[in-house]
Amino acid sequence: MSLLVQKYGGTSLATPERVGHVARRVVASADAGAQVCVVVSAMGAATDDLLSLAGGVSAAPPAADLDVLLATGEQASSALLSMAIRDLGRAAVPLTGAQAGIVTDARHGRARIAEVRPGQVRAALEAGAVAVVAGFQGVCAGGRLTTLGRGGSDTTAVALAAALGADRCEIYTDVEGVLSADPRVVPDARLLPAVAYEEMLELSASGARVLVGRSVEYARRHGVRLAVRSSFEDVPGTEVTAASEVLERPAISGIAHDTSEARVTVAGIPARPHAVAGLLRSVAEEAIDVDMIVQGAPVDGATDISFTVPEHDLLRAEAAVAPAAAAAGCRGVETDRGVGKVSVVGVGMSGHSGVAMRVFETLSEEGIDVELVSTSSIRISCLVRVGAVACAVRALHRAFGLG
């Protein structure tokens, strides 16, 4: 008997009618002979509504209190879907993240999974029931409830699939699968039948919202076979697997973009050892992720550095780096919210010459200036003005024949 882990996002569960639709899909999988563990997100905008409630009673809600509040959204989805499955004649057991054995560290609001103890999930499956697990949440060693941050339900699903030895983990969402670009920007974006773990990691890090990067990394590390499928259409979706199993390997698989980044520039850094490291350490100590970095060549004993951070962290980043810059004798700190990142990604890139040339040629023909560049063996990311992002995505999509 096969064992499936299925994850359904908030859009898939946004209304009672959609909960019923998901229940029918789950029961169909069980009727076909599979043991099914389902992981659910909060319904529709439930998480935003809970955050709004918290803001209405507290100017700065403690992270531990927010975890307790926000986790109720997924718990409601778990209970409601279990009810709908039972009404279709199948046994179902709703479980919180803690009951499902999701053990995390104690970083409230952004906890990482330390261990999975799926005893109650296995017991439900062996009894012939569907296990319906509230995603996005777990419990730390001290017994406090924690949440996993953005996309946490994806990570819950993959972690349970690994712990249970599932045959596959199916992520159901409101799109057909992984596309060659955001269809809201590129209407002729095509469905990718298969992508490598490494490609999906780069696409996620570059702005693609289909899967959160943490879940993909967990799947790669534990060999979990992933499938991204539509909750609303009966289409094959996208397989996320090892690069050796991706039969067609074009130079470029997809174009991703991210308009939620901002740039910090520190000018006049004294050209001495550890000066730049000290500035970046001040940002790291605030647990702010730094993405793209470029450092200029020293001129007259000083250099400049620019780096990007999530836009919602810009004020914290500026507050962290400004004192360090002043102490180091830098000329000043500037910030820029008007930037966006466009990335081309493909596991075949390393075997094709001229990819970088085509990227810069294409953007040049569109009159788009590239302000920062970062690369990996399968990705080229360019920072451009935010107003040029959509044009850049469409132009690169055409240039690499992805439509």
Side-chain angles (χ1 to χ4, degrees):
M1 179 180 290
S2 64
L3 197 164
L4 299 179
V5 174
Q6 298 182 340
K7 179 263 178 178
Y8 291 90
T11 305
S12 305
L13 300 161
T15 65
E17 292 75 21
R18 290 187 176 181
V19 171
H21 175 73
V22 168
R24 288 189 290 274
R25 294 197 76 135
V26 171
V27 168
S29 295
D31 286 346
Q35 292 181 313
V36 186
C37 170
V38 182
V39 175
V40 292
S41 297
M43 296 175 68
T47 300
D48 289 338
D49 292 341
L50 291 169
L51 283 170
S52 179
L53 283 173
V57 300
S58 173
D65 293 1
L66 272 179
D67 278 356
V68 174
L69 176 67
L70 297 183
T72 63
E74 280 71 19
Q75 291 170 19
S77 293
S78 171
L80 290 168
L81 181 57
S82 294
M83 295 174 195
I85 291 170
R86 288 197 195 97
D87 277 1
L88 295 174
R90 273 273 170 186
V93 178
L95 298 167
T96 66
Q99 291 170 329
I102 306 297
V103 181
T104 75
D105 61 25
R107 290 182 289 184
H108 290 285
R110 52 190 178 90
R112 300 189 74 86
I113 295 175
E115 185 183 358
V116 182
R117 305 168 184 166
Q120 291 193 55
V121 177
R122 286 191 188 280
L125 297 177
E126 290 170 2
V130 175
V132 186
V133 178
F136 177 66
Q137 62 188 258
V139 63
C140 64
R144 297 294 300 273
L145 191 149
T146 57
T147 63
L148 307 180
R150 189 184 73 82
S153 293
D154 288 355
T155 308
T156 301
V158 173
L160 280 169
L164 293 166
D167 294 274
R168 64 196 286 112
C169 179
E170 299 173 339
I171 307 294
Y172 285 88
T173 181
D174 56 356
V175 294
E176 296 177 8
V178 181
L179 302 180
S180 56
D182 187 333
R184 294 169 297 183
V185 177
V186 183
D188 68 336
R190 65 182 176 87
L191 177 69
L192 303 178
V195 295
Y197 292 125
E198 293 80 6
E199 286 177 311
M200 196 65 244
L201 279 169
E202 294 283 16
L203 287 167
S204 297
S206 300
R209 306 296 185 191
V210 180
L211 280 174
V212 68
R214 285 169 60 187
S215 68
V216 182
E217 176 55 39
Y218 204 110
R220 180 176 68 168
R221 191 163 64 246
H222 294 277
V224 175
R225 295 188 66 90
L226 284 175
V228 182
R229 303 186 63 188
S230 169
S231 293
F232 309 112
E233 299 180 50
D234 189 16
V235 293
T238 302
E239 296 283 336
V240 184
T241 186
S244 60
E245 298 184 36
V246 180
L247 299 181
E248 296 183 25
R249 296 179 60 178
I252 300 300
S253 295
I255 313 295
H257 71 280
D258 190 350
T259 57
S260 65
E261 294 201 349
R263 179 171 57 189
V264 178
T265 300
V266 184
I269 306 169
R272 60 174 181 261
H274 311 306
V276 171
L279 294 172
L280 294 177
R281 185 182 304 111
S282 68
V283 179
E285 287 173 350
E286 294 296 319
I288 298 171
D289 292 331
V290 172
D291 185 11
M292 308 174 76
I293 305 174
V294 64
Q295 181 178 345
V299 176
D300 297 328
T303 186
D304 297 345
I305 186 172
S306 290
F307 57 89
T308 60
V309 298
E311 187 177 14
H312 61 80
D313 284 330
L314 180 60
L315 293 178
R316 289 200 304 126
E318 185 178 13
V321 81
C330 304
R331 283 202 307 271
V333 179
E334 296 181 356
T335 60
D336 183 359
R337 295 179 181 270
V339 294
K341 180 175 67 174
V342 180
S343 304
V344 297
V345 177
V347 291
M349 187 185 299
S350 59
H352 289 73
S353 61
V355 172
M357 178 272 295
R358 187 181 297 182
V359 169
F360 283 91
E361 216 172 50
T362 299
L363 296 179
S364 175
E365 289 169 357
E366 296 292 330
I368 298 172
D369 292 327
V370 177
E371 302 183 14
L372 289 182
V373 180
S374 69
T375 66
S376 75
S377 61
I378 64 170
R379 172 189 51 80
I380 299 174
S381 295
C382 299
L383 197 73
V384 301
R385 302 315 300 171
V386 70
V389 166
C391 177
V393 171
R394 287 191 287 266
L396 291 168
H397 198 265
R398 288 194 303 272
F400 286 100
L402 298 179

